[in-house]
Amino acid sequence: MLRAKNKRYFCDIAKAQEFGKLLWATGCAAGADRVRQLVFICDGAVWIWNLIAHYFPNAIQIVDWYHAVDRLERIAEEAFFDQVERQAWLESVTEDLWQGRVEFVIEACQGLTKKSNLAKQSLAYYRDNVERMRYAHFRAAGYMIGSGVIESGCKQIVSRRLKLPGAQ
């Protein structure tokens, strides 16, 4: 079983360019600039990938599994009224994604563009992230593919503390 180690949390409310500088400084303070392998698991936002590519160009980039699957679930809900048909499509396309066959996922979404605006919008998301969604490869290499550990930590540590009475 894979477990996240040496987890660190950093947050700030800043513009992307300023956040990028803080990302670099925080990463260097943690030794990220000296490791043999550095892996980023993110939600797929272009601005984040741009920062990672700029500051850590050799890092392995992975789209968070749960974000990628959640999008498929929302497409299925929008495209299929029939529950059985929806579930069959979703199981098939999720298996393709799990195996890293992103091209099949793109084809499946392409076939739904007349039924689903989200399917049409998602074509770019999957096309732009093909190499970041080679989940079978990442799993075989021993990489985590989900950011849930970090997101939970952010929720528990950051959000709760910031939402306390009198917190700023």
Side-chain angles (χ1 to χ4, degrees):
M1 176 176 251
L2 296 175
R3 299 221 185 264
K5 297 177 186 173
N6 302 318
K7 299 176 297 243
R8 295 177 190 236
Y9 304 92
F10 175 78
C11 72
D12 196 1
I13 299 173
K15 294 187 183 220
Q17 184 178 2
E18 188 62 29
F19 185 81
K21 293 175 187 174
L22 294 169
L23 171 72
W24 170 249
T26 304
C28 288
D33 57 326
R34 297 185 306 275
V35 297
R36 283 187 328 116
Q37 282 189 328
L38 183 62
V39 178
F40 282 87
I41 304 171
C42 303
D43 66 6
V46 174
W47 70 274
I48 295 173
W49 298 125
N50 290 341
L51 290 177
I52 293 166
H54 178 75
Y55 290 104
F56 300 100
N58 296 320
I60 296 163
Q61 300 177 7
I62 302 173
V63 169
D64 174 68
W65 166 257
Y66 300 98
H67 281 91
V69 171
D70 178 65
R71 186 176 289 250
L72 292 176
E73 290 171 355
R74 290 184 287 128
I75 291 169
E77 287 177 16
E78 185 176 271
F80 299 101
F81 295 109
D82 181 65
Q83 179 67 27
V84 173
E85 194 177 3
R86 177 188 308 153
Q87 193 60 34
W89 182 86
L90 188 56
E91 285 177 13
S92 173
V93 76
T94 300
E95 179 63 19
D96 285 334
L97 188 62
W98 181 253
Q99 297 303 330
R101 299 185 296 251
V102 188
E103 295 80 5
F104 293 174
V105 173
I106 294 167
E107 283 180 34
C109 291
Q110 183 72 47
L112 297 179
T113 57
K114 291 182 181 170
K115 293 177 161 183
S116 166
N117 286 329
L118 184 56
K120 185 185 277 186
Q121 295 166 3
S122 296
L123 290 174
Y125 174 79
Y126 289 106
R127 284 181 185 141
D128 293 346
N129 290 299
V130 168
E131 295 307 315
R132 295 180 185 113
M133 294 181 178
R134 299 290 187 204
Y135 296 114
H137 168 76
F138 295 138
R139 290 191 323 276
Y143 302 133
M144 295 178 73
I145 60 171
S147 62
V149 170
I150 299 302
E151 290 192 27
S152 175
C154 289
K155 181 178 179 181
Q156 297 295 321
I157 294 170
V158 178
S159 294
R160 287 198 176 155
R161 287 185 183 174
L162 291 176
K163 293 177 182 175
L164 291 173
Q168 295 182 15

